[in-house]
Amino acid sequence: MRSKTATWFVCGIRYEKTLEDGTQKKVTEQYVIDALSFTEAEERITEEMSAYISGEYEVKTCAFAPFREIFFSGDDNADKWYKAKIDFISFDEKSGKEKRSHNYYLVQAGSIGSALSNIDFVMSGTMLDYVVMSIQETPVVDVFEYKVKPDDGGEQTEA
C-alpha cells in the first residue's frame, strides 16, 4: 500500500470498443493522469492510450480531479477505484468546538470493505483524528502516474 500526492486530472476518452460478443460500441471511459497542466494532461493521456487502443479515439473531457492524493493497493484483485470523503477532526482551542475539514481521496481496492481497510492502513501512520464520511465506486478505469527515467542522452524525461 502506498500513496501519492500530485496534481491529478480526470480525462474522458471516447473510442470504439470491441465487446465480448465481438460487436463494436462507442464508449467513453475515464482515466486519471498525473500532470502539471491541462495541455500536459491531454498530451500524456493521448500518449498513454495509444498503447491500449487501436483505431481512432479522442479526449472528450479533461478536468482537475477532486482529490490530490491517491492510495495505491499492491493487491492484484484491487481492480476498482473508489472516491473517499474523509473528514479530519481538530478542535478550536478558543471556542472548544470541533472543526472538520473535508478531503477527498482516490482509493484502489477490490471492494468497498477493502477500500475502507486501505484507508485505515494509510491513515494509521498519521496522528490525525479522522472519520470516513463516504466511499463510492467511480467509473475510473486506470491511473497513469508521472514517471521519470533517463533517456539515451542521460537527461530526465517522462515515461
Side-chain angles (χ1 to χ4, degrees), residues 64-80:
F64 280 116
F67 45 82
R68 290 281 180 240
E69 190 168 359
I70 296 180
F71 300 161
F72 292 93
S73 173
D75 184 0
D76 291 338
N77 296 321
D79 58 350
K80 296 176 185 161

Side-chain angles (χ1 to χ4, degrees), residues 71 84 86 107 115-124 130 132 135:
F71 300 161
I86 300 174
V107 182
L116 182 58
S117 294
N118 290 349
I119 291 166
D120 287 338
F121 179 80
V122 172
M123 298 307 293
S124 68
Y130 69 95
V132 178
I135 300 175

Side-chain angles (χ1 to χ4, degrees), residues 37-48:
S37 68
F38 285 99
T39 304
E40 181 187 359
E42 188 169 347
E43 180 183 320
R44 290 201 50 240
I45 196 66
T46 300
E47 181 182 312
E48 291 283 356

Side-chain angles (χ1 to χ4, degrees):
M1 192 80 222
R2 67 184 175 85
S3 67
K4 182 174 181 184
T5 302
T7 303
W8 300 99
F9 290 84
V10 178
C11 299
I13 307 297
R14 184 153 179 86
Y15 69 100
E16 206 164 289
K17 183 176 188 174
T18 304
L19 303 177
E20 289 180 12
D21 63 5
T23 61
Q24 299 272 329
K25 181 180 179 184
K26 281 242 183 215
V27 296
T28 301
E29 294 180 335
Q30 284 189 2
Y31 295 87
V32 174
I33 193 148
D34 176 3
L36 297 175
S37 68
F38 285 99
T39 304
E40 181 187 359
E42 188 169 347
E43 180 183 320
R44 290 201 50 240
I45 196 66
T46 300
E47 181 182 312
E48 291 283 356
M49 296 314 296
S50 66
Y52 298 102
I53 299 174
S54 60
E56 292 185 23
Y57 61 93
E58 65 180 314
V59 179
K60 291 297 280 183
T61 60
C62 192
F64 280 116
F67 45 82
R68 290 281 180 240
E69 190 168 359
I70 296 180
F71 300 161
F72 292 93
S73 173
D75 184 0
D76 291 338
N77 296 321
D79 58 350
K80 296 176 185 161
W81 295 95
Y82 295 88
K83 179 180 167 185
K85 179 182 177 183
I86 300 174
D87 282 4
F88 292 112
I89 303 167
S90 61
F91 292 94
D92 184 338
E93 292 180 19
K94 290 183 181 179
S95 67
K97 293 187 179 185
E98 180 180 281
K99 237 169 90 169
R100 291 182 178 225
S101 60
H102 309 297
N103 294 278
Y104 294 92
Y105 297 88
L106 190 65
V107 182
Q108 185 181 26
S111 67
I112 288 180
S114 60
L116 182 58
S117 294
N118 290 349
I119 291 166
D120 287 338
F121 179 80
V122 172
M123 298 307 293
S124 68
T126 70
M127 298 293 289
L128 301 170
D129 290 330
Y130 69 95
V131 175
V132 178
M133 300 301 292
S134 67
I135 300 175
Q136 64 185 49
E137 188 175 343
T138 70
V140 171
V141 176
D142 205 355
V143 173
F144 298 104
E145 296 179 77
Y146 181 83
K147 294 184 177 141
V148 178
K149 68 177 183 181
D151 65 3
D152 295 341
E155 296 177 17
Q156 300 295 324
T157 60
E158 67 182 72

